[in-house]
Amino acid sequence: MSKKSVNTPFEEQVFKPSKDFAKNARVSSMAQYNRMWKESVEQPAKFWASEAKELEWQKPWSKVLDWKAPDAKWFVGGKLNVTESCLDRHARGPRRNKAAIIFEGEPGDKQVLTYAQLHREVCKFTNVLIARGVKAKDRVLIYMPMIPQAAIAMLACARLGAVHSVVFGGFSAESILDRLEDCGATHVITADGGWRRGKTVALKDNVDEALSRTKIVKSVIVYKRTGQDVKMKKGRDFWWDELAAEASAKHEAKAFDSEHPLFILYTSGSTGKPKGILHTSGGYLTGTYTTCKYIFDMQDEDVYWCTADVGWITGHSYIVYGPLAMGATQVMYEGAPNYPDFSRFWQMIEEYGVSIFYTAPTAIRAFIKAGDSFVDGHDLSSLRLLGSVGEPINPEAWRWYYEKIGGSRCPIVDTWWQTETGAIMISPLPGATPTIAGTATLPFFGVDAAILDDAGNECKANEAGRLVIRKPWPSMTRTIYGDKARFKKTYWADYDGLYTAGDSARRDKKGNFWIVGRLDDVLNVSGHRLGTAEVESALVSHPSVAEAAVIGRPDDLKGQAVVCFVTVKGGIKSTPALQKELRDHVGKVIGAIAKPDNVYFAPALPKTRSGKIIRRLLKELVSTGEVSGNTTTLEDHSVIEQLKKTIADS
Ligand code: WTA
């Protein structure tokens, strides 16, 4: 990459892909990008069909797209088994003995699964699930550590047409129960535990606790990972290895409709409980495959590593489905980035010769804070491309990533997308797009993104507005599971026929998209979505709490910190002990990522006359210590003075 001028402030410096990178890239110039992008949005059916043809279909589609907003059907009439593209075709070809997954556990154990071995393991586990009575369209909840068996479980579900719903291993029993009941899962796949920062996480115990409150689950399959003590309920709980020992490693993949449901993944919204985002088969696979091909420019000799957890969409799309459809070799790591210390990632990049590395800004900021000494001395020369996802990347983090990790040699693809979009939507193409720290740059092929004002007009350059997508794309979510009305209201109600992402953004004069942040009451904590309503509901479920209001505060490390204001019930003392209890309570109800950073006891919360909490005022108070905005709707003005005192005193 070449810098424009050393005198330009870093924030404005433009980084162009080096000739060396561009030479071998699939898209190697802006002229090529512009031409392909134009064609792809003018004739999306043509573009996506040519990509989808690179996957395995048992029956070709008769029509590429059936679209009546917000209902999309992609590759109508086509039939496929998603796992054939991810496994069978590699296992029977020259990639047979190529490493699919190079796994490293947190304690240091290692395992390599070739495409042939992964194929065999998935077939075996598919047979295990069939023997347990799992059928196509049944929902299966997966609650696993970051081990190859998590991917095997997902792929086995997909192979037999069952719908997986992965719950992040850091979530609580209560979160498992909510999701289980919402999607009506009849089977659970879990492990005894997993390793995290040298300790074990009690996954099976959490499943037991959730299942003690519901009767819908018929069986639980438990993978032995840590060997910790667990209770096995007779007739309900089975050891993975015992069932697999009896299962055949042969399974003929049956084809399902292109629109067959593939998975449900829960994500936070601005109101109520998390929403079950539904993705289907043919379109989702096409989207994840195509973005891996052009954005990560995956080549057969690459070693790719995405540090996300399979419990998030990034893990679904860019650990499991996309890279495997590409036949890539990837590294998978179980544990924490700072175990036993902050050099773990760099050691692994050196050891496995990682060439494409995909992580989140929050991790980069933690590394910067820990100090360069953890990076120094590691040979990172195998890297050729870096990626970022989950939140806007601040220029300091971008610069450190670019210079310290990428050796000022590797392009950075800052990828904007969402659980709902299924695949990356806005991102540089590494061999073509000039980048500037902090912008996700330009829309991917087939993506018609725009920024609109309230009236639906396109915003002028540098004016912030709502980020929308104007044309359907194959990996778009089809619905919120069981709640079509909420789906329509959340994403399709702002502008007729357009998808609203819920993010505010602006475009610069060159057309680059700069994501500002969420427009709704969704926080982005360490790159993870968290609804303020979820945290509030967890707080008021504590017997001492009368009312709660939750807001986000900018945080150097986490992006946003969780700040809570609570009023306690009569007779309850607001003590530091109760503060701690409430933090722990939220951690228990939702999971550790939701633990509040601050809990303020407030005498009252600022409300409108109709009783709505005005979070805007709380945000202002926390960030500036003052309230300058409009307070005319406030019911009781003395509340502000009381809150100022509360914040100042704590
Ligand atoms: C934010 C994660 C800025 C955004 C893949 C979006 C980003 C939400 C970026 C989706 C990025 C994601 N730059 N913001 N490169 N990537 N976001 O569903 O607010 O967990 O709406 O999907 O993360 O989060 P989700």
Side-chain angles (χ1 to χ4, degrees), residues 569-595:
K569 287 184 183 157
I572 304 279
K573 284 214 172 70
S574 356
T575 59
L578 180 60
Q579 249 167 347
K580 180 173 181 307
E581 199 177 308
L582 293 178
R583 289 190 70 232
D584 292 344
H585 178 72
V586 175
K588 189 163 181 325
V589 173
I590 303 174
I593 54 162
K595 268 194 175 182

Side-chain angles (χ1 to χ4, degrees), residues 307-622:
T307 68
D309 190 286
V310 287
W312 310 111
I313 191 68
T314 308
H316 283 60
S317 301
Y318 297 108
I319 293 178
V320 180
Y321 293 104
L324 294 178
M326 283 293 295
T329 291
Q330 67 177 316
V331 170
M332 185 178 195
Y333 170 59
E334 176 186 30
N338 59 348
Y339 188 83
D341 63 39
F342 274 101
S343 65
R344 186 69 183 255
F345 278 13
W346 322 124
Q347 259 172 28
M348 287 179 60
I349 289 176
E350 178 173 347
E351 177 167 349
Y352 302 115
V354 172
S355 55
I356 306 173
F357 183 64
Y358 191 30
T359 195
T362 187
I364 298 167
R365 290 192 299 265
F367 289 125
I368 296 175
K369 191 166 170 234
D372 288 359
S373 61
F374 291 104
V375 187
D376 294 338
H378 293 288
D379 179 2
L380 304 180
S381 60
S382 58
L383 288 170
R384 67 178 196 97
L385 174 58
L386 302 173
S388 170
V389 62
E391 54 180 315
I393 178 165
N394 49 306
E396 301 78 52
W398 199 100
R399 180 174 204 158
W400 187 86
Y401 198 29
Y402 182 72
E403 291 174 352
K404 193 79 196 165
I405 303 307
S408 302
R409 170 186 80 245
C410 308
I412 296 181
V413 288
D414 175 358
T415 60
W416 177 86
W417 59 296
Q418 310 177 292
T419 306
E420 294 87 340
T421 67
I424 298 168
M425 303 295 278
I426 301 177
S427 168
L429 294 186
T433 318
T435 55
I436 308 169
T439 168
T441 71
L442 300 167
F444 183 61
F445 299 136
V447 175
D448 182 14
I451 295 163
L452 304 186
D453 64 17
D454 289 347
N457 300 315
E458 231 173 299
C459 291
K460 293 195 197 75
N462 290 319
E463 228 172 63
R466 287 198 201 110
L467 177 56
V468 300
I469 312 292
R470 296 188 285 206
K471 284 205 171 78
W473 64 102
S475 64
M476 65 200 286
T477 172
R478 300 301 193 259
T479 190
I480 294 175
Y481 188 75
D483 202 344
K484 194 75 188 224
R486 190 175 175 194
F487 173 70
K488 287 184 179 159
K489 189 165 160 256
T490 311
Y491 308 109
W492 302 93
D494 288 354
Y495 310 102
D496 199 23
L498 309 187
Y499 172 84
T500 315
D503 277 345
S504 134
R506 63 183 179 84
R507 275 189 107 159
D508 64 21
K509 288 211 171 79
K510 293 191 181 108
N512 290 316
F513 284 79
W514 297 75
I515 311 296
V516 181
R518 299 287 308 183
L519 283 163
D520 49 14
D521 289 318
V522 173
L523 308 182
N524 191 325
V525 180
S526 302
H528 300 312
R529 276 162 73 167
L530 191 63
T532 51
E534 282 171 76
V535 184
E536 286 165 4
S537 128
L539 283 165
V540 296
S541 74
H542 188 280
S544 303
V545 175
E547 268 192 314
V550 172
I551 57 157
R553 161 172 61 73
D555 181 87
D556 282 349
L557 220 53
K558 306 203 305 186
Q560 274 187 307
V562 183
V563 178
C564 308
F565 290 85
V566 295
T567 59
V568 291
K569 287 184 183 157
I572 304 279
K573 284 214 172 70
S574 356
T575 59
L578 180 60
Q579 249 167 347
K580 180 173 181 307
E581 199 177 308
L582 293 178
R583 289 190 70 232
D584 292 344
H585 178 72
V586 175
K588 189 163 181 325
V589 173
I590 303 174
I593 54 162
K595 268 194 175 182
D597 297 89
N598 305 95
V599 176
Y600 295 120
F601 291 116
L605 298 176
K607 288 186 189 168
T608 61
R609 285 183 196 93
S610 60
K612 268 182 111 174
I613 296 170
I614 318 177
R615 289 194 189 75
R616 175 178 56 81
L617 294 183
L618 293 172
K619 262 189 222 164
E620 240 190 281
L621 265 179
V622 166

Side-chain angles (χ1 to χ4, degrees), residues 213-230:
R213 287 148 64 191
T214 175
K215 291 207 160 45
I216 60 172
V217 171
K218 295 181 200 153
S219 69
V220 180
I221 302 175
V222 188
Y223 184 77
K224 190 177 274 186
R225 167 67 187 142
T226 58
Q228 70 202 89
D229 266 349
V230 290

Side-chain angles (χ1 to χ4, degrees), residues 28-99:
S28 55
S29 69
M30 277 311 277
Q32 190 188 352
Y33 162 79
N34 286 327
R35 180 179 49 77
M36 286 178 72
W37 183 79
K38 191 162 176 284
E39 275 175 24
S40 70
V41 289
E42 281 171 4
Q43 292 172 280
K46 189 174 160 211
F47 173 77
W48 289 116
S50 78
E51 294 301 321
K53 273 189 192 135
E54 294 181 9
L55 302 168
E56 295 271 303
W57 295 81
Q58 289 193 20
K59 183 173 170 247
W61 55 87
S62 52
K63 192 176 169 200
V64 177
L65 171 67
D66 219 341
W67 172 240
K68 191 170 174 297
D71 296 310
K73 286 198 182 90
W74 282 91
F75 310 113
V76 184
K79 284 189 188 296
L80 80 167
N81 188 299
V82 163
T83 69
E84 270 193 296
S85 292
C86 297
L87 302 169
D88 301 57
R89 64 163 167 176
H90 309 310
R92 64 174 173 249
R95 295 196 183 105
R96 180 174 175 74
N97 293 319
K98 181 184 172 180

